[in-house]
Amino acid sequence: CDLLTKDGLKKALKTVRDNPGCSMHASIPCSSWSTWTDLNLHRLGKRFRTKLLNDRKQSLVMLHHFKIVAREVNSLGGKFSFEWPRYSRGWNFKELQSFITKFSIPFVDFDGCSLGLKSS
């Protein structure tokens, strides 16, 4: 489901409600929170900054929608997970940290390359 849209949010909630006890995993795009953005801001200027701010805004919408769906998954006896790279600046959001604390979400830190993870 596309958690950037209200229709995607509705579809995700319907899927969860139709499947109580389900497991959900979210992988929200992370490039806008990468440490590389600092370098790119200096190199690429105003046009990059405008795109970056828009990408971050969209990422926060997806994160907000993920939390809504995750609460529903949890209330129906299911489990949920979420991933971002280890050094993503997104981990610093107070609202995400509070959510992690509230649901006692454990951290798992691994290197996908060492496990054979490859891009298509």
Side-chain angles (χ1 to χ4, degrees), residues 2-5 27-34 36-37 40-41 44-64 82 84 88-90 93:
D2 181 358
L3 291 181
L4 185 56
T5 68
S27 181
I28 296 172
C30 60
S31 58
S32 61
W33 305 111
S34 165
W36 282 99
T37 57
N40 287 333
L41 280 169
L44 303 175
K46 186 177 178 180
R47 187 171 175 199
F48 176 79
R49 180 178 177 76
T50 300
K51 181 181 181 328
L52 175 63
L53 293 175
N54 184 57
D55 289 349
R56 285 182 174 178
K57 183 178 175 182
Q58 290 180 349
S59 179
L60 291 174
V61 168
M62 286 185 269
L63 180 60
H64 178 71
F82 167 77
W84 261 344
S88 172
R89 294 219 163 99
F93 293 123

Side-chain angles (χ1 to χ4, degrees), residues 4-115:
L4 185 56
T5 68
K6 288 183 181 181
D7 285 340
L9 173 60
K10 288 178 188 177
K11 181 179 178 182
L13 287 170
K14 181 179 181 340
T15 301
V16 167
R17 291 173 182 146
D18 289 347
N19 298 279
C22 69
S23 294
M24 176 188 75
H25 176 72
S27 181
I28 296 172
C30 60
S31 58
S32 61
W33 305 111
S34 165
T35 54
W36 282 99
T37 57
D38 291 338
L39 175 64
N40 287 333
L41 280 169
H42 291 292
R43 286 184 47 228
L44 303 175
K46 186 177 178 180
R47 187 171 175 199
F48 176 79
R49 180 178 177 76
T50 300
K51 181 181 181 328
L52 175 63
L53 293 175
N54 184 57
D55 289 349
R56 285 182 174 178
K57 183 178 175 182
Q58 290 180 349
S59 179
L60 291 174
V61 168
M62 286 185 269
L63 180 60
H64 178 71
H65 288 171
F66 162 76
K67 291 183 347 181
I68 292 169
V69 179
R71 284 187 191 101
E72 190 71 8
V73 167
N74 185 70
S75 74
L76 295 171
K79 303 287 184 193
F80 60 86
S81 59
F82 167 77
E83 68 88 16
W84 261 344
R86 172 184 300 128
Y87 300 113
S88 172
R89 294 219 163 99
W91 292 119
N92 297 327
F93 293 123
K94 291 205 185 253
E95 84 174 56
L96 180 58
Q97 291 176 0
S98 296
F99 184 79
I100 289 167
T101 300
K102 179 179 180 176
F103 288 95
S104 301
I105 301 169
F107 280 94
V108 177
D109 192 10
F110 75 96
D111 290 303
C113 295
S114 68
L115 300 173

